[in-house]
């Protein structure tokens, strides 16, 4: 059997000999009933019947400063099918509204103009006011108080001082926040470095509830919800996309209620239960743009982690053409005595001293403490990956051969074509 795995923009073919013991773990989004509606029609229908909220045009009445929080270049949000309609509705309610599109970079690098054009189209980029959030620029932050965790909530002043704050986004499983979308547009989206670090502290990441698909009792989600309320996020338009990055579902309305509806919808399609625990798990980060670096690729690795026996082997198929993706992430793994020693060090870090990238190398350490990881990535950064404690291979078939030599031909293999789109629930 041949399976084309997402890898960069091109994909990579995995060959599975029929004599092998394997199963495919993937979401059933592709098999949901096909709508005859276009992507635009799906979004417009959701906006016409908002969940727990008046229509956006009604909310905009009398609101002068309106801020739309938009996802950045690292998220495959189909903004061309969302933002034009949000702008139109706002102006229907108040033609003179002063609208700003605030790019929620969170802790990521700034979005380039080329990426903005790709995301929104040239007309919106040329005509609308667009501001790119910088979490490290404290001169543009406004304090809104203290979060339940004790961390300070400082967010971009353009969001804090808006008469109406709304956002776009998309909902997918998230490896420690449970699901993306909704409240994440505020925290980490437009929050300060101090706020993001406090929310991503070692104690929260270590919680057994800070996992894919879990919202209840998740301390990270609890802080994010509080931040959303304190910022007065009034309305969202969130979508669910398929493997081709096409809109298949949309939810709009109240920031919490609409998000809950979207998460409930997605859960029924993304949750998978393996037949048995695997010896080898092959995963990806969904291809471009999510597999541009190793930092982001930890996400897809957690799906493999959930499918494996202790001591199993992960084959991570991610191009990582931008390298490690975080200097702190790289240095921590390169310089550690062992993953276990690094974990001990991380867990001793107080919330207020959380370091940039700490959460990512904490989760990566957790994985490496229990599993060997073989990276299938671009040749340019393979040596760097090996310095960080990973093995590497030329392609996925070579990696599978390496894993089978260690685990034996009778090993059970779990293939997860898109590790960021599934919620693996161990049997």
């Amino acid at each position: 059997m041949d399976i084309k795995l997402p890898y960069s923009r091109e994909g990579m073919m995995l060959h599975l000999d029929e004599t092998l013991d394997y199963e495919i773990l993937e979401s059933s989004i592709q098999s949901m009933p096909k709508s005859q509606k276009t992507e635009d029609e799906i979004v417009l229908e959701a906006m016409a019947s908002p969940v727990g909220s008046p229509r956006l045009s009604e909310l905009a009445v009398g609101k002068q400063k309106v801020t739309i929080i938009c996802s950045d270049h690292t998220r495959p949000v189909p903004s061309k099918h969302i933002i034009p309609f949000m702008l139109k509705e706002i102006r229907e309610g108040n033609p003179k509204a002063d609208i700003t599109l605030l790019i929620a970079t969170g802790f990521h690098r700034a979005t380039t103009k080329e990426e903005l054009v790709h995301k929104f189209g040239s007309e919106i980029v040329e005509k609308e006011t667009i501001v790119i959030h910088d979490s490290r620029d404290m001169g543009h932050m406004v304090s809104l108080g203290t979060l339940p965790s004790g961390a300070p909530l400082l967010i971009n002043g353009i969001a804090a001082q808006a008469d109406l704050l709304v956002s776009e986004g998309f909902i997918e499983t998230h490896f420690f926040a449970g699901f993306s979308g909704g409240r994440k547009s505020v925290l980490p989206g437009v929050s300060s470095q101090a706020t993001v670090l406090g929310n991503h502290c070692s104690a929260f990441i270590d919680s057994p509830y800070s996992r894919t698909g879990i919202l209840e009792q998740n301390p990270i989600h609890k802080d994010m919800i509080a931040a959303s309320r304190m910022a007065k996020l009034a309305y969202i338009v969130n979508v669910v996309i398929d493997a081709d990055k096409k809109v298949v579902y949309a939810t709009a309305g109240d920031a919490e209620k609409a998000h809950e509806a979207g998460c409930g919808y997605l859960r029924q399609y993304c949750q998978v239960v393996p037949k048995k625990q695997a010896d080898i798990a092959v995963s990806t980060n969904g291809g471009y743009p999510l597999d541009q670096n190793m930092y982001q690729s930890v996400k897809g690795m957690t799906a493999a982690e959930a499918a494996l026996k202790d001591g199993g082997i992960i084959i991570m198929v991610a191009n990582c053409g931008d390298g490690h993706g975080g200097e702190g992430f790289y240095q921590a793994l390169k310089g550690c005595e062992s993953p276990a020693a690094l974990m001990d060090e991380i867990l001793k870090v107080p919330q207020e001293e959380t370091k940039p990238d700490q959460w990512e190398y904490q989760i990566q350490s957790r994985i490496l403490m229990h599993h060997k990881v073989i990276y299938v990535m671009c040749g340019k950064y393979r040596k760097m990956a090996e310095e960080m404690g990973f093995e590497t291979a030329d392609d996925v078939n070579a990696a599978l051969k390496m894993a089978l030599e260690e685990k034996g031909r009778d090993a059970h293999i779990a293939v997860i074509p898109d590790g960021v789109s599934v919620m693996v629930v161990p049997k």
Side-chain angles (χ1 to χ4, degrees), residues 69 106 147 149 151-155 177 181-200 220-228 231:
I69 303 175
L147 293 167
S149 65
L153 177 59
L154 298 103
I155 71 170
R183 73 283 186 244
K184 276 186 96 259
S185 60
V186 174
L187 174 58
V190 295
S191 294
S192 72
Q193 173 174 297
T195 300
V196 176
L197 294 178
N199 178 251
H200 291 21
I220 294 170
H221 170 68
K222 182 179 179 181
D223 251 20
M224 289 177 173
I225 284 289
S228 172

PDB file of all heavy atoms in Angstrom, residues 69 106 147 149 151-155 177 181-200 220-228 231:
ATOM      1  N   ILE A  69      -8.841  40.673  15.168  1.00  0.00           N
ATOM      2  CA  ILE A  69      -7.621  39.891  15.360  1.00  0.00           C
ATOM      3  C   ILE A  69      -7.581  38.804  14.295  1.00  0.00           C
ATOM      4  O   ILE A  69      -8.521  38.018  14.169  1.00  0.00           O
ATOM      5  CB  ILE A  69      -7.564  39.264  16.761  1.00  0.00           C
ATOM      6  CG1 ILE A  69      -7.683  40.343  17.848  1.00  0.00           C
ATOM      7  CG2 ILE A  69      -6.271  38.478  16.936  1.00  0.00           C
ATOM      8  CD1 ILE A  69      -7.751  39.778  19.264  1.00  0.00           C
ATOM      9  N   GLY A 106       1.469  36.113  18.227  1.00  0.00           N
ATOM     10  CA  GLY A 106       1.832  35.393  19.441  1.00  0.00           C
ATOM     11  C   GLY A 106       3.314  35.539  19.712  1.00  0.00           C
ATOM     12  O   GLY A 106       3.822  36.643  19.867  1.00  0.00           O
ATOM     13  N   LEU A 147      -4.319  37.194  35.623  1.00  0.00           N
ATOM     14  CA  LEU A 147      -5.019  35.980  35.217  1.00  0.00           C
ATOM     15  C   LEU A 147      -5.177  35.024  36.405  1.00  0.00           C
ATOM     16  O   LEU A 147      -4.488  35.174  37.418  1.00  0.00           O
ATOM     17  CB  LEU A 147      -4.242  35.297  34.090  1.00  0.00           C
ATOM     18  CG  LEU A 147      -4.201  36.063  32.772  1.00  0.00           C
ATOM     19  CD1 LEU A 147      -3.162  35.474  31.831  1.00  0.00           C
ATOM     20  CD2 LEU A 147      -5.575  36.061  32.109  1.00  0.00           C
ATOM     21  N   SER A 149      -4.010  32.240  36.935  1.00  0.00           N
ATOM     22  CA  SER A 149      -2.733  31.604  37.253  1.00  0.00           C
ATOM     23  C   SER A 149      -1.813  32.503  38.064  1.00  0.00           C
ATOM     24  O   SER A 149      -0.812  32.044  38.617  1.00  0.00           O
ATOM     25  CB  SER A 149      -2.009  31.229  35.961  1.00  0.00           C
ATOM     26  OG  SER A 149      -1.663  32.401  35.240  1.00  0.00           O
ATOM     27  N   ALA A 151      -0.426  35.139  36.518  1.00  0.00           N
ATOM     28  CA  ALA A 151       0.354  35.848  35.502  1.00  0.00           C
ATOM     29  C   ALA A 151      -0.325  37.159  35.133  1.00  0.00           C
ATOM     30  O   ALA A 151      -1.559  37.262  35.153  1.00  0.00           O
ATOM     31  CB  ALA A 151       0.507  34.978  34.254  1.00  0.00           C
ATOM     32  N   PRO A 152       0.448  38.183  34.792  1.00  0.00           N
ATOM     33  CA  PRO A 152      -0.152  39.455  34.366  1.00  0.00           C
ATOM     34  C   PRO A 152      -0.726  39.335  32.965  1.00  0.00           C
ATOM     35  O   PRO A 152      -0.175  38.628  32.123  1.00  0.00           O
ATOM     36  CB  PRO A 152       1.041  40.417  34.383  1.00  0.00           C
ATOM     37  CG  PRO A 152       2.225  39.542  34.062  1.00  0.00           C
ATOM     38  CD  PRO A 152       1.928  38.230  34.738  1.00  0.00           C
ATOM     39  N   LEU A 153      -1.853  40.011  32.729  1.00  0.00           N
ATOM     40  CA  LEU A 153      -2.409  40.049  31.374  1.00  0.00           C
ATOM     41  C   LEU A 153      -2.103  41.411  30.761  1.00  0.00           C
ATOM     42  O   LEU A 153      -2.688  42.424  31.131  1.00  0.00           O
ATOM     43  CB  LEU A 153      -3.917  39.809  31.375  1.00  0.00           C
ATOM     44  CG  LEU A 153      -4.589  39.907  29.989  1.00  0.00           C
ATOM     45  CD1 LEU A 153      -3.993  38.891  29.016  1.00  0.00           C
ATOM     46  CD2 LEU A 153      -6.104  39.727  30.090  1.00  0.00           C
ATOM     47  N   LEU A 154      -1.158  41.408  29.844  1.00  0.00           N
ATOM     48  CA  LEU A 154      -0.825  42.601  29.079  1.00  0.00           C
ATOM     49  C   LEU A 154      -1.028  42.270  27.611  1.00  0.00           C
ATOM     50  O   LEU A 154      -0.451  41.301  27.098  1.00  0.00           O
ATOM     51  CB  LEU A 154       0.629  43.027  29.312  1.00  0.00           C
ATOM     52  CG  LEU A 154       0.981  43.416  30.742  1.00  0.00           C
ATOM     53  CD1 LEU A 154       1.749  42.274  31.411  1.00  0.00           C
ATOM     54  CD2 LEU A 154       1.821  44.673  30.752  1.00  0.00           C
ATOM     55  N   ILE A 155      -1.890  43.061  26.946  1.00  0.00           N
ATOM     56  CA  ILE A 155      -2.170  42.783  25.541  1.00  0.00           C
ATOM     57  C   ILE A 155      -1.926  44.025  24.699  1.00  0.00           C
ATOM     58  O   ILE A 155      -1.802  45.137  25.220  1.00  0.00           O
ATOM     59  CB  ILE A 155      -3.613  42.267  25.325  1.00  0.00           C
ATOM     60  CG1 ILE A 155      -4.637  43.389  25.547  1.00  0.00           C
ATOM     61  CG2 ILE A 155      -3.905  41.075  26.215  1.00  0.00           C
ATOM     62  CD1 ILE A 155      -6.049  42.997  25.104  1.00  0.00           C
ATOM     63  N   ALA A 177      -3.274  23.135  24.448  1.00  0.00           N
ATOM     64  CA  ALA A 177      -4.439  23.982  24.731  1.00  0.00           C
ATOM     65  C   ALA A 177      -5.750  23.252  24.480  1.00  0.00           C
ATOM     66  O   ALA A 177      -6.828  23.810  24.696  1.00  0.00           O
ATOM     67  CB  ALA A 177      -4.380  25.254  23.896  1.00  0.00           C
ATOM     68  N   GLY A 181      -8.123  28.117  18.116  1.00  0.00           N
ATOM     69  CA  GLY A 181      -9.277  28.954  17.808  1.00  0.00           C
ATOM     70  C   GLY A 181      -9.830  29.692  19.015  1.00  0.00           C
ATOM     71  O   GLY A 181      -9.322  29.600  20.142  1.00  0.00           O
ATOM     72  N   GLY A 182     -10.876  30.463  18.782  1.00  0.00           N
ATOM     73  CA  GLY A 182     -11.568  31.165  19.855  1.00  0.00           C
ATOM     74  C   GLY A 182     -10.656  32.037  20.685  1.00  0.00           C
ATOM     75  O   GLY A 182     -10.015  32.968  20.197  1.00  0.00           O
ATOM     76  N   ARG A 183     -10.557  31.712  21.950  1.00  0.00           N
ATOM     77  CA  ARG A 183      -9.828  32.514  22.939  1.00  0.00           C
ATOM     78  C   ARG A 183      -8.339  32.633  22.661  1.00  0.00           C
ATOM     79  O   ARG A 183      -7.678  33.544  23.165  1.00  0.00           O
ATOM     80  CB  ARG A 183     -10.068  31.951  24.341  1.00  0.00           C
ATOM     81  CG  ARG A 183      -9.326  30.618  24.634  1.00  0.00           C
ATOM     82  CD  ARG A 183      -9.978  29.402  23.991  1.00  0.00           C
ATOM     83  NE  ARG A 183      -9.325  28.167  24.411  1.00  0.00           N
ATOM     84  CZ  ARG A 183      -8.674  27.352  23.591  1.00  0.00           C
ATOM     85  NH1 ARG A 183      -8.572  27.616  22.295  1.00  0.00           N
ATOM     86  NH2 ARG A 183      -8.115  26.251  24.059  1.00  0.00           N
ATOM     87  N   LYS A 184      -7.783  31.739  21.849  1.00  0.00           N
ATOM     88  CA  LYS A 184      -6.343  31.792  21.553  1.00  0.00           C
ATOM     89  C   LYS A 184      -5.950  33.024  20.739  1.00  0.00           C
ATOM     90  O   LYS A 184      -4.769  33.382  20.672  1.00  0.00           O
ATOM     91  CB  LYS A 184      -5.889  30.528  20.810  1.00  0.00           C
ATOM     92  CG  LYS A 184      -5.567  29.373  21.731  1.00  0.00           C
ATOM     93  CD  LYS A 184      -4.975  28.194  20.967  1.00  0.00           C
ATOM     94  CE  LYS A 184      -3.464  28.212  21.029  1.00  0.00           C
ATOM     95  NZ  LYS A 184      -2.797  28.733  19.847  1.00  0.00           N
ATOM     96  N   SER A 185      -6.912  33.685  20.119  1.00  0.00           N
ATOM     97  CA  SER A 185      -6.570  34.890  19.364  1.00  0.00           C
ATOM     98  C   SER A 185      -6.090  35.998  20.297  1.00  0.00           C
ATOM     99  O   SER A 185      -5.294  36.856  19.902  1.00  0.00           O
ATOM    100  CB  SER A 185      -7.767  35.379  18.536  1.00  0.00           C
ATOM    101  OG  SER A 185      -8.862  35.695  19.379  1.00  0.00           O
ATOM    102  N   VAL A 186      -6.546  35.971  21.559  1.00  0.00           N
ATOM    103  CA  VAL A 186      -6.096  36.953  22.554  1.00  0.00           C
ATOM    104  C   VAL A 186      -4.829  36.463  23.253  1.00  0.00           C
ATOM    105  O   VAL A 186      -3.821  37.167  23.315  1.00  0.00           O
ATOM    106  CB  VAL A 186      -7.207  37.241  23.591  1.00  0.00           C
ATOM    107  CG1 VAL A 186      -6.680  38.146  24.711  1.00  0.00           C
ATOM    108  CG2 VAL A 186      -8.419  37.870  22.917  1.00  0.00           C
ATOM    109  N   LEU A 187      -4.882  35.260  23.801  1.00  0.00           N
ATOM    110  CA  LEU A 187      -3.744  34.650  24.476  1.00  0.00           C
ATOM    111  C   LEU A 187      -3.496  33.284  23.882  1.00  0.00           C
ATOM    112  O   LEU A 187      -4.354  32.394  24.002  1.00  0.00           O
ATOM    113  CB  LEU A 187      -4.030  34.527  25.986  1.00  0.00           C
ATOM    114  CG  LEU A 187      -2.996  33.764  26.825  1.00  0.00           C
ATOM    115  CD1 LEU A 187      -1.615  34.400  26.703  1.00  0.00           C
ATOM    116  CD2 LEU A 187      -3.416  33.738  28.302  1.00  0.00           C
ATOM    117  N   PRO A 188      -2.379  33.139  23.169  1.00  0.00           N
ATOM    118  CA  PRO A 188      -1.211  34.016  23.071  1.00  0.00           C
ATOM    119  C   PRO A 188      -1.243  35.071  21.976  1.00  0.00           C
ATOM    120  O   PRO A 188      -0.350  35.908  21.908  1.00  0.00           O
ATOM    121  CB  PRO A 188      -0.084  33.029  22.789  1.00  0.00           C
ATOM    122  CG  PRO A 188      -0.738  31.968  21.966  1.00  0.00           C
ATOM    123  CD  PRO A 188      -2.123  31.815  22.548  1.00  0.00           C
ATOM    124  N   GLY A 189      -2.243  35.046  21.092  1.00  0.00           N
ATOM    125  CA  GLY A 189      -2.253  35.836  19.861  1.00  0.00           C
ATOM    126  C   GLY A 189      -1.744  37.250  19.934  1.00  0.00           C
ATOM    127  O   GLY A 189      -0.832  37.646  19.201  1.00  0.00           O
ATOM    128  N   VAL A 190      -2.338  38.077  20.828  1.00  0.00           N
ATOM    129  CA  VAL A 190      -1.949  39.488  20.887  1.00  0.00           C
ATOM    130  C   VAL A 190      -1.488  39.874  22.290  1.00  0.00           C
ATOM    131  O   VAL A 190      -1.586  41.021  22.706  1.00  0.00           O
ATOM    132  CB  VAL A 190      -3.096  40.410  20.413  1.00  0.00           C
ATOM    133  CG1 VAL A 190      -3.398  40.160  18.939  1.00  0.00           C
ATOM    134  CG2 VAL A 190      -4.360  40.213  21.259  1.00  0.00           C
ATOM    135  N   SER A 191      -0.979  38.909  23.027  1.00  0.00           N
ATOM    136  CA  SER A 191      -0.510  39.157  24.385  1.00  0.00           C
ATOM    137  C   SER A 191       0.989  39.449  24.422  1.00  0.00           C
ATOM    138  O   SER A 191       1.717  39.163  23.474  1.00  0.00           O
ATOM    139  CB  SER A 191      -0.811  37.942  25.278  1.00  0.00           C
ATOM    140  OG  SER A 191      -2.207  37.766  25.439  1.00  0.00           O
ATOM    141  N   SER A 192       1.423  39.983  25.547  1.00  0.00           N
ATOM    142  CA  SER A 192       2.839  40.298  25.738  1.00  0.00           C
ATOM    143  C   SER A 192       3.637  39.031  26.000  1.00  0.00           C
ATOM    144  O   SER A 192       3.087  37.975  26.348  1.00  0.00           O
ATOM    145  CB  SER A 192       3.018  41.235  26.928  1.00  0.00           C
ATOM    146  OG  SER A 192       2.785  40.527  28.137  1.00  0.00           O
ATOM    147  N   GLN A 193       4.935  39.161  25.863  1.00  0.00           N
ATOM    148  CA  GLN A 193       5.831  38.054  26.142  1.00  0.00           C
ATOM    149  C   GLN A 193       5.625  37.529  27.566  1.00  0.00           C
ATOM    150  O   GLN A 193       5.547  36.323  27.791  1.00  0.00           O
ATOM    151  CB  GLN A 193       7.276  38.501  25.962  1.00  0.00           C
ATOM    152  CG  GLN A 193       8.317  37.475  26.393  1.00  0.00           C
ATOM    153  CD  GLN A 193       9.728  37.900  26.055  1.00  0.00           C
ATOM    154  OE1 GLN A 193      10.066  38.050  24.890  1.00  0.00           O
ATOM    155  NE2 GLN A 193      10.559  38.091  27.052  1.00  0.00           N
ATOM    156  N   ALA A 194       5.515  38.450  28.550  1.00  0.00           N
ATOM    157  CA  ALA A 194       5.354  38.036  29.940  1.00  0.00           C
ATOM    158  C   ALA A 194       4.088  37.218  30.145  1.00  0.00           C
ATOM    159  O   ALA A 194       4.070  36.236  30.898  1.00  0.00           O
ATOM    160  CB  ALA A 194       5.335  39.269  30.844  1.00  0.00           C
ATOM    161  N   THR A 195       3.015  37.612  29.457  1.00  0.00           N
ATOM    162  CA  THR A 195       1.743  36.901  29.586  1.00  0.00           C
ATOM    163  C   THR A 195       1.813  35.518  28.957  1.00  0.00           C
ATOM    164  O   THR A 195       1.356  34.531  29.540  1.00  0.00           O
ATOM    165  CB  THR A 195       0.614  37.726  28.943  1.00  0.00           C
ATOM    166  OG1 THR A 195       0.530  38.996  29.602  1.00  0.00           O
ATOM    167  CG2 THR A 195      -0.717  37.017  29.044  1.00  0.00           C
ATOM    168  N   VAL A 196       2.398  35.435  27.788  1.00  0.00           N
ATOM    169  CA  VAL A 196       2.529  34.138  27.102  1.00  0.00           C
ATOM    170  C   VAL A 196       3.399  33.188  27.926  1.00  0.00           C
ATOM    171  O   VAL A 196       3.056  32.014  28.122  1.00  0.00           O
ATOM    172  CB  VAL A 196       3.127  34.309  25.694  1.00  0.00           C
ATOM    173  CG1 VAL A 196       3.336  32.943  25.039  1.00  0.00           C
ATOM    174  CG2 VAL A 196       2.228  35.175  24.822  1.00  0.00           C
ATOM    175  N   LEU A 197       4.511  33.692  28.430  1.00  0.00           N
ATOM    176  CA  LEU A 197       5.408  32.856  29.219  1.00  0.00           C
ATOM    177  C   LEU A 197       4.726  32.352  30.489  1.00  0.00           C
ATOM    178  O   LEU A 197       4.869  31.185  30.862  1.00  0.00           O
ATOM    179  CB  LEU A 197       6.674  33.636  29.579  1.00  0.00           C
ATOM    180  CG  LEU A 197       7.596  34.029  28.411  1.00  0.00           C
ATOM    181  CD1 LEU A 197       8.777  34.841  28.910  1.00  0.00           C
ATOM    182  CD2 LEU A 197       8.077  32.801  27.657  1.00  0.00           C
ATOM    183  N   GLY A 198       3.963  33.241  31.143  1.00  0.00           N
ATOM    184  CA  GLY A 198       3.251  32.819  32.344  1.00  0.00           C
ATOM    185  C   GLY A 198       2.225  31.747  32.063  1.00  0.00           C
ATOM    186  O   GLY A 198       2.072  30.782  32.831  1.00  0.00           O
ATOM    187  N   ASN A 199       1.525  31.870  30.954  1.00  0.00           N
ATOM    188  CA  ASN A 199       0.503  30.892  30.568  1.00  0.00           C
ATOM    189  C   ASN A 199       1.114  29.547  30.183  1.00  0.00           C
ATOM    190  O   ASN A 199       0.507  28.489  30.378  1.00  0.00           O
ATOM    191  CB  ASN A 199      -0.320  31.443  29.403  1.00  0.00           C
ATOM    192  CG  ASN A 199      -1.380  30.480  28.907  1.00  0.00           C
ATOM    193  OD1 ASN A 199      -1.261  29.935  27.824  1.00  0.00           O
ATOM    194  ND2 ASN A 199      -2.419  30.259  29.700  1.00  0.00           N
ATOM    195  N   HIS A 200       2.333  29.592  29.628  1.00  0.00           N
ATOM    196  CA  HIS A 200       2.981  28.376  29.142  1.00  0.00           C
ATOM    197  C   HIS A 200       4.011  27.832  30.148  1.00  0.00           C
ATOM    198  O   HIS A 200       4.982  27.181  29.763  1.00  0.00           O
ATOM    199  CB  HIS A 200       3.683  28.661  27.817  1.00  0.00           C
ATOM    200  CG  HIS A 200       2.756  28.934  26.672  1.00  0.00           C
ATOM    201  ND1 HIS A 200       1.459  29.349  26.821  1.00  0.00           N
ATOM    202  CD2 HIS A 200       2.953  28.878  25.325  1.00  0.00           C
ATOM    203  CE1 HIS A 200       0.899  29.531  25.626  1.00  0.00           C
ATOM    204  NE2 HIS A 200       1.788  29.244  24.706  1.00  0.00           N
ATOM    205  N   ILE A 220      -4.195  25.742  31.072  1.00  0.00           N
ATOM    206  CA  ILE A 220      -3.815  26.665  30.003  1.00  0.00           C
ATOM    207  C   ILE A 220      -5.071  27.257  29.368  1.00  0.00           C
ATOM    208  O   ILE A 220      -5.163  28.473  29.147  1.00  0.00           O
ATOM    209  CB  ILE A 220      -2.942  25.935  28.965  1.00  0.00           C
ATOM    210  CG1 ILE A 220      -1.612  25.535  29.617  1.00  0.00           C
ATOM    211  CG2 ILE A 220      -2.707  26.794  27.730  1.00  0.00           C
ATOM    212  CD1 ILE A 220      -0.771  24.603  28.790  1.00  0.00           C
ATOM    213  N   HIS A 221      -6.049  26.410  29.098  1.00  0.00           N
ATOM    214  CA  HIS A 221      -7.331  26.862  28.552  1.00  0.00           C
ATOM    215  C   HIS A 221      -8.028  27.811  29.516  1.00  0.00           C
ATOM    216  O   HIS A 221      -8.602  28.834  29.099  1.00  0.00           O
ATOM    217  CB  HIS A 221      -8.209  25.643  28.269  1.00  0.00           C
ATOM    218  CG  HIS A 221      -9.622  25.957  27.924  1.00  0.00           C
ATOM    219  ND1 HIS A 221      -9.977  26.598  26.755  1.00  0.00           N
ATOM    220  CD2 HIS A 221     -10.792  25.730  28.609  1.00  0.00           C
ATOM    221  CE1 HIS A 221     -11.298  26.743  26.718  1.00  0.00           C
ATOM    222  NE2 HIS A 221     -11.809  26.231  27.823  1.00  0.00           N
ATOM    223  N   LYS A 222      -7.964  27.509  30.810  1.00  0.00           N
ATOM    224  CA  LYS A 222      -8.620  28.349  31.825  1.00  0.00           C
ATOM    225  C   LYS A 222      -8.075  29.776  31.779  1.00  0.00           C
ATOM    226  O   LYS A 222      -8.836  30.748  31.816  1.00  0.00           O
ATOM    227  CB  LYS A 222      -8.404  27.745  33.211  1.00  0.00           C
ATOM    228  CG  LYS A 222      -9.096  28.510  34.336  1.00  0.00           C
ATOM    229  CD  LYS A 222      -8.857  27.836  35.687  1.00  0.00           C
ATOM    230  CE  LYS A 222      -9.516  28.618  36.817  1.00  0.00           C
ATOM    231  NZ  LYS A 222      -9.269  27.974  38.143  1.00  0.00           N
ATOM    232  N   ASP A 223      -6.762  29.915  31.696  1.00  0.00           N
ATOM    233  CA  ASP A 223      -6.148  31.241  31.598  1.00  0.00           C
ATOM    234  C   ASP A 223      -6.533  31.938  30.291  1.00  0.00           C
ATOM    235  O   ASP A 223      -6.759  33.145  30.260  1.00  0.00           O
ATOM    236  CB  ASP A 223      -4.619  31.119  31.669  1.00  0.00           C
ATOM    237  CG  ASP A 223      -4.056  31.641  32.986  1.00  0.00           C
ATOM    238  OD1 ASP A 223      -4.819  31.743  33.962  1.00  0.00           O
ATOM    239  OD2 ASP A 223      -2.849  31.935  33.040  1.00  0.00           O
ATOM    240  N   MET A 224      -6.589  31.184  29.210  1.00  0.00           N
ATOM    241  CA  MET A 224      -6.932  31.758  27.904  1.00  0.00           C
ATOM    242  C   MET A 224      -8.366  32.288  27.890  1.00  0.00           C
ATOM    243  O   MET A 224      -8.643  33.358  27.339  1.00  0.00           O
ATOM    244  CB  MET A 224      -6.744  30.714  26.801  1.00  0.00           C
ATOM    245  CG  MET A 224      -5.300  30.365  26.510  1.00  0.00           C
ATOM    246  SD  MET A 224      -5.164  29.066  25.258  1.00  0.00           S
ATOM    247  CE  MET A 224      -3.381  29.042  25.010  1.00  0.00           C
ATOM    248  N   ILE A 225      -9.269  31.539  28.491  1.00  0.00           N
ATOM    249  CA  ILE A 225     -10.662  31.982  28.587  1.00  0.00           C
ATOM    250  C   ILE A 225     -10.744  33.276  29.396  1.00  0.00           C
ATOM    251  O   ILE A 225     -11.447  34.232  29.025  1.00  0.00           O
ATOM    252  CB  ILE A 225     -11.543  30.893  29.226  1.00  0.00           C
ATOM    253  CG1 ILE A 225     -11.824  29.773  28.218  1.00  0.00           C
ATOM    254  CG2 ILE A 225     -12.855  31.474  29.740  1.00  0.00           C
ATOM    255  CD1 ILE A 225     -12.772  30.151  27.097  1.00  0.00           C
ATOM    256  N   ALA A 226     -10.024  33.324  30.505  1.00  0.00           N
ATOM    257  CA  ALA A 226     -10.022  34.527  31.342  1.00  0.00           C
ATOM    258  C   ALA A 226      -9.492  35.718  30.560  1.00  0.00           C
ATOM    259  O   ALA A 226     -10.041  36.826  30.645  1.00  0.00           O
ATOM    260  CB  ALA A 226      -9.181  34.292  32.597  1.00  0.00           C
ATOM    261  N   ALA A 227      -8.428  35.509  29.787  1.00  0.00           N
ATOM    262  CA  ALA A 227      -7.852  36.589  28.987  1.00  0.00           C
ATOM    263  C   ALA A 227      -8.843  37.098  27.954  1.00  0.00           C
ATOM    264  O   ALA A 227      -8.987  38.307  27.732  1.00  0.00           O
ATOM    265  CB  ALA A 227      -6.578  36.109  28.296  1.00  0.00           C
ATOM    266  N   SER A 228      -9.558  36.185  27.328  1.00  0.00           N
ATOM    267  CA  SER A 228     -10.568  36.550  26.332  1.00  0.00           C
ATOM    268  C   SER A 228     -11.665  37.410  26.942  1.00  0.00           C
ATOM    269  O   SER A 228     -12.088  38.417  26.364  1.00  0.00           O
ATOM    270  CB  SER A 228     -11.159  35.278  25.716  1.00  0.00           C
ATOM    271  OG  SER A 228     -12.257  35.560  24.887  1.00  0.00           O
ATOM    272  N   ALA A 231     -10.305  40.892  27.936  1.00  0.00           N
ATOM    273  CA  ALA A 231     -10.080  41.723  26.750  1.00  0.00           C
ATOM    274  C   ALA A 231     -11.385  42.109  26.061  1.00  0.00           C
ATOM    275  O   ALA A 231     -11.390  42.915  25.129  1.00  0.00           O
ATOM    276  CB  ALA A 231      -9.180  40.987  25.767  1.00  0.00           C
TER     277      ALA A 231
END
